[in-house]
Amino acid sequence: MLSTRLQALPREARDTLFLLAVIGLILLPQGPNLPWWCSTLAAIVLLWRGTLAVQGRPLPARGWRIALLALTLVATYSTYRTLLGRDAGVTLVVILLALKTLELRARRDAFVIFFLGFFTMLTNFFYSQSLATAFAMLLALLGLLTALVNAHMPVGKPPLMQAARTAGGMALLGAPIMLVLFMLFPRMAPLWGTPNDAMTGRTGLSNTMRVGSVAELALDEGIAARIKFDDGRVPPRTTLYFRGPVLSRFDGREWSAPPPFSRSAAPRNLRVRGAPVGYEVTLEPSNRPWVLTLDAAPRRPELAGYELFATPELQWVATRPIGDMVRYRAESYAEFESGPTRRSAVLQDEVALPPGSNPRTVALAAQMRADPALAGASTPALVQNVLQRLRTGGYAYTLEPGLFGDDSADEFWFDRKAGFCEHIASSFVVLMRALDIPARIVTGYQGGEINGVDNFWVVRNSDAHAWAEVWQQGAGWVRVDPTGAISPDRVGQFRRLAPQPGLIAGAIGAMNPTLSQNLRAAWEAVNNGWNQWVLNYTQSRQLDLLKTLGFAAPSLQDLALVLLALLVVASLAGAGWTLWERSQHDPWLRLLGRARQRLRRAGVEAPDSASPRQLAARLSERFGSGAEPVRQWLLRLEAQRYAKAPGDALSALRSEFRRLAWPR
């Protein structure tokens, strides 16, 4: 068996294999974040070092290590064009940790690896603070502590389980201190950045939209945001439009958002009606400055640590990218109007089309204007006519439309008649502009689903959507979702185009169709609890904790004072524990120690290794019969220890000790 073979190995080989396994656990979550060559080289080095340990062969010469280090530096610079920064730094740390195992000869080398391993553990949180990452690093922490304890057991071949129990006890003893520091240590922004955004070919949001450049859209089932509606009252599903970038500039192929020329504390020209909807959003890190809200939010969301402003397009934007998971409150109105109510030069950009772009669509608009049935038709009538064309013209909603050419609207309306939401919204807006109707594209998220375990409304990246807004006289900007005309289920019933399940998920779904969904909901609810109580434990929540402790207006200074007070109390408790532990030592040994001190003051040699009988003999040699009572007392003390003396004999000896006339 494998365990038997491992036990048969020399201790050095066994301990080395265990340490290599722990290092592998530390590096495993970094795989998706590292260049392929880095993961491959680290794996080869660890396997090489393990083979050398099992076979008992000598470690490679120094030249090999220098060559591998030089290769790493060259490869890192070639990959990142720098040796500094987060990604390049993590790559170097990972390789250095692996290469250090090739010179693991003495305990000193092991200690270097231990502490380099602790540092490498932290780098995993540069990329992900998820519950899975935290659990993996907890196992790695216990593994490193076990290896560290084992290294302090130089004698024999102690079992690893014994070191693991000691390491676990150390971790449990330190857990209360870690909890207090987590609760009260001042919250600070991370010192690292976030991964670069790479949404090409996947569902998600961007401030540009290049129509037709993606032949097949991959559904990203990752969570974009979680929403907790006040009192659990979820608005009608058809109104769940979470506003993102508004794209009004078109160069014939790509839509882009205009720069925010004006910044205001509240959206301008926004007119709301009805009752507001209150909710709390937990937004996943996006490395974008967009703060998602339901259409439309007239007041600034309550997001601590960020300065927010409203754009003229009703979008809330932060002054810096949101690189961490954040939580904020917002209030929105489902019934609203925005923008100017009369046509003016301000709307000219929303009518512009590049010269010569999409000629067949422009011709279709001219044909519609020339139709007697539409002569003098209002904007709502023209919009309804186009939506009817989408409903009855054989158009389809698909994630695999193929690549489009430069005139993507022409291809959609007349050739392919299929696309996902960006094709549909773009083609619709191009036709509206050709009809001389101001129109623009709004991107964001539409819909979502309820998690039945924790009752949070979950919005995924696969819910990313694009719709249109057209301008109407007297009403301003009005939302129109042309995708709903082609596929009502996309907006109403929320029957999404779903990706093919994986092998395990497919097998579970085949056995029990609802089991896979329930398992995912339970796992996401657990992750949400981790997000709400750990990752979102912000400075404001720390101050709220102080309020519950009786502070009327808590501040960071109060937080520091409470933390200092707890540290003082913990120190006093530790001192008290030490005194109590000392009092629990063997009372017989303490009494013998006091006797040794008396004898030493009298000039009798009394080493710590001497027994009471030996001390009695040395006392007689020095003082003869003049110290007979003390000699007899020492003999009775030894008898109490090794003979069958009554239990209260030690108390009697302790009382007699105080009455004896000790020689001087």
Side-chain angles (χ1 to χ4, degrees), residues 195-206 220 286-288 461:
N196 292 329
D197 186 66
M199 300 300 292
T200 303
R202 302 191 67 83
T203 47
L205 294 187
S206 175
D220 183 359
S286 63
N287 204 28
R288 303 287 193 177
N461 290 324

Side-chain angles (χ1 to χ4, degrees), residues 82 134 234 370 390 424 465 572 602 627:
T82 182
V234 182
L390 291 171
I424 303 171
H465 192 47
L572 293 176

Side-chain angles (χ1 to χ4, degrees), residues 598-612:
R598 290 292 184 95
L599 294 176
R600 287 167 183 161
R601 287 200 293 264
V604 178
E605 184 180 359
D608 292 339
S609 59
S611 66

Side-chain angles (χ1 to χ4, degrees), residues 141-155:
L141 172 66
L142 294 176
L144 279 178
L145 288 178
T146 299
L148 184 60
V149 171
N150 188 64
H152 284 83
M153 298 177 174
V155 180

Side-chain angles (χ1 to χ4, degrees), residues 361 363-395 412-414 427-428 431-432 435 437 470 472 480 482 485-486:
T361 303
L364 174 61
Q367 180 183 346
M368 293 176 61
R369 284 296 189 184
D371 187 348
L374 296 175
S378 63
T379 296
L382 291 171
V383 168
Q384 289 303 317
N385 183 275
V386 175
L387 294 179
Q388 184 63 21
R389 176 184 292 268
L390 291 171
R391 294 188 189 99
T392 60
Y395 295 92
F412 173 80
W413 286 116
F414 301 103
S427 301
F428 178 85
L431 182 54
M432 287 293 105
L435 289 167
I437 298 174
V470 299
Q472 295 182 12
V480 180
I486 297 177

Side-chain angles (χ1 to χ4, degrees), residues 205-288:
L205 294 187
S206 175
N207 57 356
T208 61
M209 190 175 78
R210 190 169 183 83
V211 182
S213 62
V214 178
E216 181 178 350
L217 192 67
L219 283 177
D220 183 359
E221 290 295 292
I223 295 177
R226 293 179 174 89
I227 294 93
K228 188 73 170 180
F229 291 98
D230 292 353
D231 302 324
R233 294 179 294 183
V234 182
R237 293 186 172 186
T238 54
T239 66
L240 293 177
Y241 284 83
F242 298 88
R243 197 176 191 88
V246 179
L247 314 178
S248 59
R249 293 186 171 184
F250 186 51
D251 62 4
R253 187 70 185 274
E254 183 175 83
W255 292 89
S256 59
F261 294 109
S262 63
R263 301 182 177 188
S264 58
R268 298 174 182 174
N269 296 325
L270 175 60
R271 304 169 293 279
V272 297
R273 300 186 302 272
V277 176
Y279 52 96
E280 186 178 72
V281 180
T282 303
L283 186 65
E284 295 285 334
S286 63
N287 204 28
R288 303 287 193 177

Side-chain angles (χ1 to χ4, degrees), residues 127-477:
Y127 300 93
S128 173
Q129 298 88 40
S130 67
L131 181 59
T133 301
F135 181 72
M137 291 305 100
L138 176 61
L139 293 180
L141 172 66
L142 294 176
L144 279 178
L145 288 178
T146 299
L148 184 60
V149 171
N150 188 64
H152 284 83
M153 298 177 174
V155 180
K157 190 177 179 181
L160 288 174
M161 188 55 65
Q162 178 183 351
R165 284 194 294 267
T166 303
M170 293 167 55
L172 288 177
L173 289 175
I177 299 176
M178 291 188 291
L179 180 61
V180 169
L181 291 176
F182 171 79
M183 299 291 290
L184 296 177
F185 197 84
R187 303 280 101 181
M188 293 180 291
L191 301 179
W192 54 86
T194 57
N196 292 329
D197 186 66
M199 300 300 292
T200 303
R202 302 191 67 83
T203 47
L205 294 187
S206 175
N207 57 356
T208 61
M209 190 175 78
R210 190 169 183 83
V211 182
S213 62
V214 178
E216 181 178 350
L217 192 67
L219 283 177
D220 183 359
E221 290 295 292
I223 295 177
R226 293 179 174 89
I227 294 93
K228 188 73 170 180
F229 291 98
D230 292 353
D231 302 324
R233 294 179 294 183
V234 182
R237 293 186 172 186
T238 54
T239 66
L240 293 177
Y241 284 83
F242 298 88
R243 197 176 191 88
V246 179
L247 314 178
S248 59
R249 293 186 171 184
F250 186 51
D251 62 4
R253 187 70 185 274
E254 183 175 83
W255 292 89
S256 59
F261 294 109
S262 63
R263 301 182 177 188
S264 58
R268 298 174 182 174
N269 296 325
L270 175 60
R271 304 169 293 279
V272 297
R273 300 186 302 272
V277 176
Y279 52 96
E280 186 178 72
V281 180
T282 303
L283 186 65
E284 295 285 334
S286 63
N287 204 28
R288 303 287 193 177
W290 310 318
V291 178
L292 293 181
T293 59
L294 274 174
D295 267 349
R299 283 186 284 276
R300 190 199 314 267
E302 302 172 8
L303 179 54
Y306 287 84
E307 182 182 351
L308 307 184
F309 64 90
T311 68
E313 293 81 19
L314 307 186
Q315 184 187 9
W316 285 102
V317 181
T319 54
R320 58 187 174 92
I322 298 176
D324 308 300
M325 183 177 296
V326 295
R327 182 168 58 180
Y328 54 90
R329 283 198 56 81
E331 193 176 71
S332 298
Y333 290 79
E335 300 180 37
F336 66 94
E337 294 177 353
S338 67
T341 57
R342 293 184 180 182
R343 187 154 181 171
S344 63
V346 177
L347 299 173
Q348 283 304 113
D349 288 341
E350 278 73 19
V351 188
L353 287 174
S357 172
N358 296 287
R360 288 186 288 173
T361 303
V362 174
L364 174 61
Q367 180 183 346
M368 293 176 61
R369 284 296 189 184
D371 187 348
L374 296 175
S378 63
T379 296
L382 291 171
V383 168
Q384 289 303 317
N385 183 275
V386 175
L387 294 179
Q388 184 63 21
R389 176 184 292 268
L390 291 171
R391 294 188 189 99
T392 60
Y395 295 92
Y397 175 54
T398 177
L399 297 181
E400 301 179 11
L403 291 174
F404 280 57
D406 291 337
D407 296 326
S408 57
D410 284 356
E411 290 191 47
F412 173 80
W413 286 116
F414 301 103
D415 300 329
R416 300 176 184 269
K417 292 190 174 183
F420 42 84
C421 58
E422 73 170 32
H423 302 90
I424 303 171
S426 174
S427 301
F428 178 85
V429 170
V430 169
L431 182 54
M432 287 293 105
R433 291 189 174 191
L435 289 167
D436 196 35
I437 298 174
R440 61 192 185 187
I441 296 176
V442 183
T443 61
Y445 296 92
Q446 202 283 319
E449 61 185 357
I450 190 72
N451 186 315
V453 178
D454 57 9
N455 293 322
F456 273 75
W457 191 264
V458 179
V459 178
R460 303 183 183 278
N461 290 324
S462 57
D463 295 316
H465 192 47
W467 59 95
E469 284 184 340
V470 299
W471 183 86
Q472 295 182 12
Q473 184 76 23
W477 291 105

